[in-house]
């Protein structure tokens, strides 16, 4: 009365028939699994909906996961499965319990990987040791005992030792599983779910990775290419050539809410010495990058849902480009690598070089907006000026005090002078930075802020790149201001901190709450208050090297405070 099923199949395809296994008392049957059909297939490319191929509520697994972690039976696989299934009711829960146990208890056999002669892939031996073939075989057998249809699949993978843009030939190098749940096939990889090996492939580290449990097939195919393309569970199926060319997204890419990266190929040819990369994500993210291990020769800008990066390698040849990300709310300062490209650079753009003080990302963004810098006059990261002057305005959030400084690679400016080429003007909740460049070149405008009520230091917020190609540019610094110069005072003229010698110089200042204003050169010149509220007058610069503006806050006091200092040109 025993029924025997025989399957004949070509040598290069996976058998569709699962062994019927009989254990101890009774006969636990698993039906012969059906091959994938139309209802198992998911659209390719990924529709950006879910990371999983079926709805999974991880919170509902918390108790089951905790229970499965503690099960410690290694005498036989049957006893182990019986113990694991005590808390599992549905097929999904059974698969989950087996998955959690394998991912946390089977250590990858690094020695066995290197020395295949010492390797056993029998599931009972895998309880003591493990390689990918063994993980998948053990998973298949445990599912079979639990009455769940499961297939062990093999194929190519972009795992340990994978080099960007490589081709795949010869035998398959990895094994994983398909499980049949709720009338559909689903994919999982317990080898990669359990942890990772180091770069030298000498040490395995347990590091549980939820991503590889019931992964959406359009994401799974990013680094798993089955021998039998039907097991991609995709419509249309991917060709091996596309698998080889496609960008490798590691699991961090998707678990951090990133959606897509452009270009989609792992190897990028630079065009006129430049490569452009962009990333899209669900919510605001912080990014950084490294070119050959160093953050240089690039310009990265944050967008609300992603970032853009332009890279200008300064040497020809192959360059590794890594992109890192972290959520803004992350407590630690750790950025995770989410993308790796290889840049093939045939020519170098020597004209595009960035100052070493330029900090990534560049320009205003959702991040500077959160710090209180709203409605920027210049939303782009680079400000081009032909005459060496520019003006940048923002609406400021409440209770914010601001500092700014100017940096350049080929400038001998002291820290004080770096600040004096920028003038801050406050009008209500508007702030304007007037910038006069000391010479042509590329400059970094760094902006710092703190709460006025906070006695601590200023925090760096963001920076701009200011570019001026006009070699005739040579603006003097703005006049030096003292502590009594209030932030909402304003100089209309003279803006230059260097006055001509032996001249009459016109002064026009916007000050309030002041009784008298004097300009002290060789003689003292009072300014008069006009109807529109400006203090105006003239001063002669002959016979002096410095000119001071002094204010008298109270008409009853004889005490004057210095607010501005000008230098006078030497004869």
């Amino acid at each position: 009365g025993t029924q025997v099923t025989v399957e004949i199949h070509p040598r290069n395809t996976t058998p569709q028939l699962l062994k019927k296994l009989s254990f101890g008392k009774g006969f636990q049957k698993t039906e012969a699994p059906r091959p994938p059909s139309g209802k198992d297939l998911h659209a390719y490319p990924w529709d950006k909906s879910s990371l999983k191929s079926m709805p999974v509520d991880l919170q509902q697994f918390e108790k089951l996961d905790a229970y499965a972690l503690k099960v410690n039976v290694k005498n036989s696989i049957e006893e182990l499965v019986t113990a694991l299934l005590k808390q599992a009711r549905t097929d999904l829960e059974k698969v989950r319990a087996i998955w959690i146990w394998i991912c946390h208890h089977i250590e990858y056999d690094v020695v066995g990987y290197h020395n295949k002669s010492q390797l056993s892939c029998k599931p009972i031996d895998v309880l003591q040791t493990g390689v990918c073939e063994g993980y998948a075989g053990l998973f298949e057998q445990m599912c079979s005992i639990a009455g769940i249809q499961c297939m062990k699949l093999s194929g190519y993978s972009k795992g340990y030792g994978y080099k960007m843009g490589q081709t795949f030939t010869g035998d398959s190098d990895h094994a994983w599983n398909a499980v049949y749940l709720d009338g559909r096939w689903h994919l999982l990889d317990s080898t990669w779910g359990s942890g990772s090996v180091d770069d030298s492939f000498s040490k395995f580290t347990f590091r549980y990775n939820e991503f590889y449990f019931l992964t959406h097939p359009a994401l799974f195919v990013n680094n798993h290419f089955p021998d039998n393309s039907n097991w991609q569970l995709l419509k249309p199926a991917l060709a091996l050539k596309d698998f080889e060319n496609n960008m490798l997204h590691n699991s961090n890419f998707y678990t951090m809410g990133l959606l897509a990266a452009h270009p989609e190929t792992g190897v990028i040819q630079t065009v006129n010495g430049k490569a452009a990369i962009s990333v899209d994500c669900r919510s605001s993210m912080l990014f950084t990058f490294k070119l050959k291990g160093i953050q240089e020769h690039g310009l990265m800008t944050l967008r609300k849902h992603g970032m853009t990066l332009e890279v200008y390698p300064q040497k020809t040849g192959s360059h590794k480009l890594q992109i890192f990300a972290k959520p803004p709310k992350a407590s630690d300062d750790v950025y995770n690598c989410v993308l790796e490209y290889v840049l093939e650079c045939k020519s170098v753009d020597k004209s595009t070089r960035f100052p070493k003080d330029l900090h990534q990302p560049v320009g205003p963004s959702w991040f500077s907006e959160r710090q209180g810098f709203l409605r920027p006059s210049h939303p782009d990261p680079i400000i081009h000026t032909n005459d060496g002057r520019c003006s940048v305005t923002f609406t400021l959030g409440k209770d914010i005090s601001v500092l700014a400084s100017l940096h350049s690679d080929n400038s001998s400016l002291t820290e004080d002078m770096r600040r004096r080429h920028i003038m801050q003007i406050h009008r209500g909740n508007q702030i304007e930075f007037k910038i006069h460049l000391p010479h042509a070149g590329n400059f970094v405008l760094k902006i710092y802020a703190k709460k006025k009520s906070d006695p601590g230091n200023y925090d760096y917020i963001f920076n701009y790149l200011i570019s001026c190609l006009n070699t005739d540019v040579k603006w003097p610094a703005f006049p030096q201001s003292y502590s009594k110069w209030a932030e909402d005072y304003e100089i209309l003229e003279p803006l230059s901190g260097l006055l001509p010698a032996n001249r009459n110089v016109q002064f026009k200042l916007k000050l309030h709450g002041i009784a008298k204003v004097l300009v002290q050169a060789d003689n003292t010149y009072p300014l008069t208050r006009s109807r529109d509220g400006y203090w105006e007058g003239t001063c002669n610069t002959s016979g002096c090297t410095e000119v001071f503006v002094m204010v008298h806050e109270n008409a009853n006091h004889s005490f004057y405070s210095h607010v501005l200092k000008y230098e006078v040109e030497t004869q």
Side-chain angles (χ1 to χ4, degrees):
T2 308
Q3 183 184 356
V4 177
T5 307
V6 177
E7 179 184 83
I8 298 166
H9 59 88
R11 198 180 306 170
N12 63 349
T13 62
T14 310
Q16 307 295 349
L17 177 65
L18 247 188
K19 298 186 212 97
K20 294 189 176 181
L21 295 159
S22 128
F23 293 103
K25 296 174 203 153
F27 197 100
Q28 195 161 5
K29 276 200 288 192
T30 312
E31 300 162 42
R34 65 165 181 79
S37 63
K39 67 175 180 177
D40 298 298
L41 305 183
H42 295 254
Y44 183 85
W46 184 45
D47 60 7
K48 300 179 183 173
S49 57
S50 166
L51 301 183
K52 305 268 186 210
S53 52
M54 67 187 285
V56 171
D57 182 354
L58 295 178
Q59 281 180 312
Q60 289 192 342
F61 285 146
E62 279 174 7
K63 275 189 185 161
L64 178 66
D65 289 359
Y67 169 78
L69 279 174
K70 292 196 187 96
V71 171
N72 189 17
V73 179
K74 286 205 175 179
N75 314 336
S76 77
I77 299 175
E78 300 80 58
E79 282 179 45
L80 171 61
V81 174
T82 306
L84 280 174
L85 298 193
K86 278 183 182 155
Q87 299 279 327
R89 298 182 313 281
T90 64
D91 282 358
L92 174 59
E93 287 176 355
K94 290 175 186 176
V95 168
R96 179 72 180 187
I98 293 168
W99 158 269
I100 286 290
W101 191 90
I102 289 182
C103 285
H104 291 86
H105 290 81
I106 303 297
E107 188 167 343
Y108 196 92
D109 180 9
V110 176
V111 176
Y113 177 89
H114 286 300
N115 188 351
K116 300 283 194 281
S117 63
Q118 294 179 19
L119 195 58
S120 164
C121 279
K122 288 182 193 150
I124 187 64
D125 295 333
V126 175
L127 282 185
Q128 277 76 41
T129 65
V131 291
C132 56
E133 187 80 12
Y135 277 91
L138 178 61
F139 203 98
E140 180 185 42
Q141 188 169 349
M142 287 173 77
C143 281
S144 182
I145 296 166
I148 306 278
Q149 290 189 37
C150 177
M151 293 288 297
K152 186 173 92 174
L153 307 174
S154 55
Y156 296 130
S157 70
K158 293 182 180 177
Y160 168 76
Y162 167 72
K163 295 278 185 293
M164 195 75 69
Q166 76 173 58
T167 54
F168 291 88
T169 53
D171 293 339
S172 54
D173 59 21
H174 190 51
W176 57 92
N177 297 95
V179 288
Y180 194 71
L181 295 168
D182 290 357
R184 273 181 111 172
W185 284 106
H186 302 271
L187 302 168
L188 49 80
D189 184 340
S190 53
T191 313
W192 290 5
S194 64
S196 57
V197 287
D198 61 355
D199 287 345
S200 62
F201 212 94
S202 56
K203 183 170 169 284
F204 172 82
T205 308
F206 275 113
R207 190 182 291 112
Y208 176 70
N209 194 336
E210 175 62 43
F211 180 74
Y212 292 107
F213 179 69
L214 310 184
T215 316
H216 192 293
L219 303 182
F220 202 77
V221 79
N222 189 252
N223 44 20
H224 294 75
F225 192 84
D227 295 336
N228 178 343
S229 62
N230 291 340
W231 284 107
Q232 289 179 24
L233 306 184
L234 289 177
K235 183 177 148 192
L238 203 66
L240 180 60
K241 195 90 207 112
D242 294 326
F243 174 73
E244 290 169 344
N245 291 338
N246 276 2
M247 182 68 215
L248 172 62
H249 295 148
N250 61 27
S251 56
N252 281 334
F253 184 90
Y254 296 110
T255 52
M256 292 177 82
L258 308 189
L259 297 171
H262 306 278
E264 291 173 347
T265 53
V267 180
I268 304 174
Q269 309 289 337
T270 60
V271 178
N272 300 327
K274 168 184 158 182
I277 292 98
S278 66
V279 176
D280 301 329
C281 47
R282 285 190 200 283
S283 56
S284 303
M285 237 356 165
L286 291 167
F287 290 91
T288 177
F289 72 93
K290 282 184 179 173
L291 183 66
K292 281 200 161 174
I294 305 168
Q295 190 188 79
E296 60 180 4
H297 310 315
L299 186 82
M300 177 179 273
T301 48
L302 291 184
R303 300 191 321 260
K304 190 136 195 176
H305 295 293
M307 72 88 183
T308 52
L309 170 64
E310 291 178 356
V311 188
Y312 300 84
Q314 293 299 299
K315 283 185 181 163
T316 55
S318 286
H319 303 267
K320 179 160 126 179
L321 173 68
Q322 294 165 295
I323 293 170
F324 303 83
K326 81 169 186 137
K329 290 194 173 76
S331 52
D332 53 12
D333 206 31
V334 177
Y335 281 79
N336 286 301
C337 183
V338 289
L339 282 173
E340 277 191 22
Y341 286 99
V342 172
L343 304 189
E344 296 289 353
C345 183
K346 291 196 169 64
S347 67
V348 172
D349 178 356
K350 288 286 184 198
S351 65
T352 308
R353 300 182 89 155
F354 301 115
K356 60 178 185 296
D357 278 319
L358 188 67
H359 194 85
Q360 307 291 339
V362 186
S365 66
W366 59 265
F367 180 77
S368 53
E369 199 171 281
R370 280 189 195 178
Q371 310 300 316
F373 289 82
L374 314 170
R375 292 188 273 287
S377 58
H378 293 69
D380 293 329
I382 305 180
I383 298 170
H384 295 278
T385 165
N386 188 41
D387 69 357
R389 295 183 296 180
C390 59
S391 162
V392 185
T393 60
F394 297 92
T395 302
L396 267 191
K398 285 193 178 72
D399 184 38
I400 293 174
S401 183
V402 180
L403 271 183
S405 63
L406 205 59
H407 304 256
S408 162
D409 284 354
N410 50 1
S411 201
S412 53
L413 294 180
T414 61
E415 190 172 344
D416 176 54
M417 290 305 282
R418 287 207 288 262
R419 295 221 173 99
R420 282 188 45 205
H421 278 272
I422 305 163
M423 185 163 70
Q424 271 191 51
I425 303 160
H426 290 257
R427 300 182 192 94
N429 63 352
Q430 291 279 109
I431 184 171
E432 177 186 0
F433 297 105
K434 268 193 199 307
I435 295 129
H436 285 185
L437 299 179
H439 51 76
N442 282 338
F443 290 82
V444 181
L445 172 65
K446 290 201 169 193
I447 296 173
Y448 304 81
K450 74 178 185 80
K451 283 203 171 342
K452 284 180 185 166
S453 50
D454 185 351
N457 293 333
Y458 284 83
D459 291 325
Y460 166 78
I461 308 296
F462 69 109
N463 56 190
Y464 279 102
L465 179 64
I466 301 176
S467 178
C468 176
L469 302 176
N470 182 351
T471 51
D472 295 337
V473 161
K474 192 182 175 188
W475 289 101
F478 292 107
Q480 189 174 342
S481 58
Y482 295 106
S483 57
K484 286 284 184 183
W485 179 264
E487 68 172 24
D488 50 358
Y489 289 178
E490 190 176 339
I491 306 171
L492 284 92
E493 57 180 345
L495 284 175
S496 167
L498 188 63
L499 302 179
N502 305 323
R503 290 275 178 83
N504 284 330
V505 176
Q506 183 70 32
F507 275 78
K508 186 175 182 182
L509 306 172
K510 187 179 175 185
L511 315 168
H512 57 81
I514 296 296
K516 282 186 188 168
V517 182
L518 296 180
V519 177
Q520 186 179 10
D522 198 27
N523 293 317
T524 304
Y525 303 87
L527 301 186
T528 51
R529 192 160 182 224
S530 61
R531 281 199 185 139
D532 51 6
Y534 293 107
W535 291 87
E536 296 182 71
T538 333
C539 128
N540 190 284
T541 59
S542 48
C544 64
T545 57
E546 295 174 330
V547 171
F548 293 93
V549 176
M550 303 185 299
V551 297
H552 201 39
E553 292 174 52
N554 188 324
N556 301 327
H557 293 178
S558 58
F559 183 72
Y560 279 89
S561 304
H562 286 70
V563 289
L564 293 174
K565 174 186 167 186
Y566 289 85
E567 310 279 333
V568 177
E569 284 177 348
T570 50
Q571 303 248 314

